[in-house]
Each structure stands twice: as C-alpha cells, then as structure tokens.
Amino acid sequence: MLKLTPAERSALRSEAHGLNPVVIIGDAGLTPAVLKEIDSSLDAHGLIKVRVFGDDREARIEIYETICDKLGAAPIQHIGKLLVLYRPQKEAQKERSDKRGKGLREVTIVKPSPSGTKRPTVTKVVLKGNERVTSGGNVKRAKKRQTSQKKSALGRT
C-alpha cells in the first residue's frame, strides 16, 4: 500500500472532487474482472473514483483496503459509497521511429502587396512533414525521391 502525507492526500482529495466514478462495484462484489478494470483505470488516470453499491459499511471498508493492498494504491477518501484511490502513473516513453519525418508545424507566410503601397498579407499555415513554403509564399509538397532501377536490381538503395 502506498503512503502519502496529509498535505498530498488533501491536494488529491480536492483534485478528485470534480471526477465521476469510473468503476462501479455491484452485488457480486470485488471480482477479478472488477479488480482488473480498477487496475487499468489507475494506469490510465492515476486518480479515480469507485462507487460501491451495498449498504454494509464494513464490507465497503474491506473492499477499499483489499483494492489498496492488491493494486498498490493509496487510499485518499471514503465518503459514503464513493472510494477515491490514487496510484502514480507509470511514464510510458514513446519510441520515435527513424522512418518518420517531421510532424506538423505552424508557419507564418508574409506576402507583400502587389502594388507595394499597401500592407503585406500575413497568413498562418500548418505544414505537414513533407511540405515546404516556396520563396513566393506557396505551399508545395516534396516530391518522392526517385530510385535507380539499376541500384534496386543490385540490392542497393
């Protein structure tokens, strides 16, 4: 079970105030499927609310402690039939593949007026990875690089 300071718990309680319950525990109680769903919700959100149906307070407290023990979560708050749980999210690092080019980027294009006496026109354009802006201010796609028939036949690229 994760231990938090009272200040951390108070901050998480205020953060959880606007959340809606993401998992609901019904009459069947804490089944392995419900436990798996709570685990995936904690991985996705970190801070979740769980609603427990049933009028037995001791059973709700037992469910609360079981969830915290099995999933390594910290108990934040237990008000009525709502349980608030917290577990820090694991930071998943996305690996960037070498095959991808540049992503989207925003470019400002300034074109002078044809007469030269008026203000220039300023437009903001979002370019994709294979696009560029010409000296005239037009957007062009990069052409696909040509490959040699001889080199591809020999296995060279």
Side-chain angles (χ1 to χ4, degrees):
M1 190 162 29
L2 189 65
K3 298 287 182 187
L4 296 175
T5 64
E8 291 172 330
R9 188 171 278 117
S10 176
L12 288 170
R13 239 191 328 259
S14 65
E15 196 177 319
H17 181 70
L19 297 178
N20 292 325
V22 292
V23 178
I24 298 173
I25 300 175
D27 294 334
L30 193 62
T31 62
V34 171
L35 209 57
K36 184 178 177 184
E37 187 63 32
I38 293 171
D39 188 35
S40 65
S41 296
L42 282 170
D43 284 341
H45 304 290
L47 181 68
I48 63 167
K49 276 186 182 177
V50 177
R51 182 175 299 279
V52 181
F53 289 124
D55 295 328
D56 189 13
R57 180 173 171 76
E58 281 74 32
R60 284 195 305 266
I61 293 172
E62 185 180 324
I63 288 172
Y64 196 36
E65 291 171 352
T66 305
I67 292 170
C68 291
D69 286 339
K70 287 190 176 182
L71 301 180
I76 301 298
Q77 191 174 30
H78 174 208
I79 291 186
K81 297 181 180 185
L82 281 177
L83 313 175
V84 181
L85 303 164
Y86 171 73
R87 184 172 69 191
Q89 290 178 283
K90 299 171 186 147
E91 297 198 17
Q93 295 179 352
K94 293 182 180 177
E95 294 181 23
R96 187 177 172 116
S97 69
D98 295 334
K99 294 180 182 177
R100 287 191 188 166
K102 297 177 186 174
L104 295 176
R105 61 192 187 283
E106 188 173 332
V107 177
T108 305
I109 300 174
V110 180
K111 285 187 181 180
S113 68
S115 65
T117 58
K118 296 182 181 176
R119 287 185 170 172
T121 57
V122 179
T123 54
K124 289 193 175 194
V125 180
V126 177
L127 297 180
K128 297 175 187 166
N130 65 341
E131 294 177 338
R132 63 182 175 88
V133 179
T134 63
S135 59
N138 297 323
V139 177
K140 282 199 149 187
R141 279 197 179 142
K143 293 179 182 171
K144 198 164 188 172
R145 196 171 200 183
Q146 292 181 345
T147 57
S148 167
Q149 294 291 330
K150 290 181 184 178
K151 285 183 182 177
S152 60
L154 292 174
R156 296 184 221 157
T157 323

